[in-house]
Each structure stands twice: as structure tokens, then as C-alpha cells.
Amino acid sequence: MYMKDWISRLDTILSMNGRELLNNAGKISHQIAKEKSELEYQKFKEERKEHQKYQNLKELEDDINRLK
């Protein structure tokens, strides 16, 4: 079996599952994709930091209530 056979089989499986096939390299350059991913990761890190801060405050509040 050759690679072209596997490509054909995979395309058939994806088509049967209702997936669109990517027939070209796309329009977005590596640099644009990298910049976008870095931006999204920064957003994720900020959200995670805010969530952690909220969790820490909640734990502190729970500890204070337990001590009362």
C-alpha cells in the first residue's frame, strides 16, 4: 500500500462523516497563524489567572467563615 492509497482512504472516511476536505494549503501564512495563536494563548492565560484569583479569594473567604 502506498501513501496515495492512504490519502484516498482517509478522504473517503472524512467525506462519509460529513467533513469538508481541505484541497489546498489555505490562505493564512505561518506568521499570521503564529501571531493569532500567541494572542489567543495570552487571553487564555489572563482568564486562567483571573479564575485562579477568584478561587483563591473564595478559599480565603471559606477559611475565614470556618474560623468564626
Side-chain angles (χ1 to χ4, degrees), residues 40-57:
E40 292 299 317
Y41 185 66
Q42 287 300 322
K43 287 180 191 176
F44 168 75
K45 279 177 42 177
E46 288 299 317
E47 288 177 15
R48 186 173 58 181
K49 189 186 287 185
E50 284 297 315
H51 179 73
Q52 187 62 42
K53 186 170 29 173
Y54 173 77
Q55 287 297 102
N56 291 343
L57 288 173

Side-chain angles (χ1 to χ4, degrees), residues 1-2 6 12 15 18 20 22 26 41 59 65-66 68:
M1 185 166 254
Y2 297 98
W6 282 110
T12 302
S15 295
E20 285 188 44
L22 181 62
Y41 185 66
E59 287 177 18
N65 287 334
R66 262 195 312 244
K68 286 183 179 180

Side-chain angles (χ1 to χ4, degrees), residues 1-13:
M1 185 166 254
Y2 297 98
M3 185 59 79
K4 67 180 178 177
D5 299 325
W6 282 110
I7 292 170
S8 176
R9 283 180 181 235
L10 181 59
D11 286 349
T12 302
I13 291 169

Side-chain angles (χ1 to χ4, degrees), residues 22 24-33:
L22 181 62
N24 57 41
K27 300 175 187 172
I28 297 177
S29 70
H30 173 73
Q31 184 63 32
I32 292 172

